[in-house]
Each structure stands twice: as C-alpha cells, then as structure tokens.
Amino acid sequence: MKKLLVLLMFGVGSVFADDTIVGSDAYKVESELASEIKAKQITVEEAEQMELNMADTYEVTSTVSVENLELLIGEQLKESIMPYYSIEFNDPTKDNEFRATITEYFGKVE
C-alpha cells in the first residue's frame, strides 16, 4: 500500500498525490475542521513512542475529491471521544476513489 505525500490534513499545507496538487481550498476546510476536532493528530510512530493503545481503525472513502474525503474524515473525528488519531492516505483506486485509514488511540493503561 503506497502512501501519498501529505503536507495538509488539518492545517499544514497542500496535498500532493503523485507530484500533482490535488486540492486548492483544502487548507480552508482543514482549519475550519481543526477548530471543531478535539483530538490531536499524531503519527503511528508517535503513538508507539507514547505507548498509546489503539482504540479503533476504519477506512474513509470518497469518489468525489480529496476535499470531500477531508470533510468525511472531519465528520468522523468530530464524533470521536479518543484523544489522539493518525491518518494514512492510500493511493486512489482506478475508479478515482480517494481513501484514508484512520486509527484512533487512547492513553496507555497502567
């Protein structure tokens, strides 16, 4: 599963897929969603370093656009009560289905 180079998702820059800019208004969408999402985005490596427990993993898909995928991810995360999440973007399928795998985490259990 090849990852897309992501410099966007919740407030960093622009999304690139195979060296092509996929979204233009995504930064605006993300900054609006970031204010509504209480969880903190981290990497899978950070979750391992912090010894977090995996709560749930699910896939979000859109056949419309990357911007639509981001909106769907935001809607899912707004409903979450977990304090951390990571996002792995997957290559679009041959039918231009944009996909991301979301993993939610909670603190380590002692």
Side-chain angles (χ1 to χ4, degrees):
M1 183 177 342
K2 181 180 168 190
K3 293 182 186 178
L4 297 179
L5 172 60
V6 177
L7 301 174
L8 184 51
M9 254 354 254
F10 302 100
V12 179
S14 297
V15 174
F16 294 84
D18 300 325
D19 298 321
T20 305
I21 295 178
V22 177
S24 59
D25 294 326
Y27 182 77
K28 180 181 175 186
V29 170
E30 287 185 345
S31 53
E32 290 173 6
L33 288 174
S35 66
E36 298 177 25
I37 297 171
K38 296 178 180 125
K40 178 182 177 187
Q41 183 177 358
I42 60 173
T43 65
V44 173
E45 292 79 17
E46 289 172 320
E48 290 172 3
Q49 290 173 354
M50 296 167 66
E51 299 179 10
L52 299 177
N53 292 297
M54 193 181 306
D56 194 13
T57 298
Y58 50 90
E59 191 170 271
V60 178
T61 61
S62 171
T63 56
V64 179
S65 66
V66 170
E67 291 85 0
N68 182 257
L69 177 65
E70 291 179 61
L71 288 171
L72 295 172
I73 291 169
E75 290 300 316
Q76 288 284 333
L77 291 172
K78 281 192 270 186
E79 302 297 320
S80 175
I81 60 170
M82 294 298 129
Y84 303 100
Y85 67 94
S86 64
I87 302 173
E88 180 181 340
F89 291 88
N90 306 308
D91 284 335
T93 64
K94 62 182 176 194
D95 299 325
N96 286 328
E97 180 179 74
F98 301 94
R99 299 176 296 130
T101 302
I102 312 301
T103 302
E104 297 183 30
Y105 304 93
F106 61 94
K108 66 179 186 177
V109 177
E110 309 240 358

